[in-house]
Amino acid sequence: TSVAMTLKSTCDGTTNFTRIGATTASDGGWSLLTGSIVLPTCAATELTAYFEGPAAGVDIYVDDVSLRQDLSVRTQNIIANPDFESGTTSGWFGFGSPTLTATTAQAHAGRWSLLATNRTATFMGPGSDIRTAVSPGVYQASAWVRLDGAAASPIFMTAKITCTGAADQFMRIGTADATDSAWTLLTGTLTVPTCPLSGLIVYFEGPPVGVNEYIDDVALRR
């Protein structure tokens, strides 16, 4: 009989059911079920994937279930030296006057991460100039963050945007409640304005003065 995998999505008060894939299953052997979905572009309150199809009273075995992003449709990461596995701080600078070091003391993945020390103001941290790599539109941002010198504190990813002839704008991209005991994922979005850009810097800030920041695996993509 047919077994299907279905997505139940609820967005803006409306519930929809989308078929992910189906296969003909039997009690004589395992069958592979494959398919794909496109997640809705809304603030979803429910996303549930489930199996259905056989008649009432018929049991379903499932095993080795996976749902992965199709990496072939992802755009290139515009952040230079995003994982610091070169062992250098290339592509990054101290926003304000902190000291940046590529270090193996901590790493989210691989061997290296970036450490910002000597932070004498809360806004100080690692920064990267992305002006020549972006165009107007929305970008998805992510980074892994960790502290040294405080048990817990928020870390913010911020954009300093300068349109030619206008005052600097500061846009909060995302925030994470970081700790000194584990890596925390920071996510958010950056909207690049439709103006002649004379500057666009992304940087990490937020912890109290004297607290060091680790960052690793930074990404900014369409």
Side-chain angles (χ1 to χ4, degrees), residues 3-5 30-31 33 50-52 59-65:
V3 175
M5 187 178 187
W30 289 93
S31 299
L33 186 158
Y50 65 96
F51 294 87
E52 60 171 332
D59 299 332
I60 306 174
Y61 288 101
V62 298
D63 200 2
D64 298 323
V65 185

Side-chain angles (χ1 to χ4, degrees), residues 10-41:
T10 302
C11 298
D12 304 322
T14 301
T15 298
N16 292 290
F17 295 87
T18 305
R19 179 61 46 84
I20 298 173
T23 189
T24 299
S26 73
D27 60 0
W30 289 93
S31 299
L32 177 64
L33 186 158
T34 62
S36 63
I37 58 173
V38 177
L39 294 180
T41 56

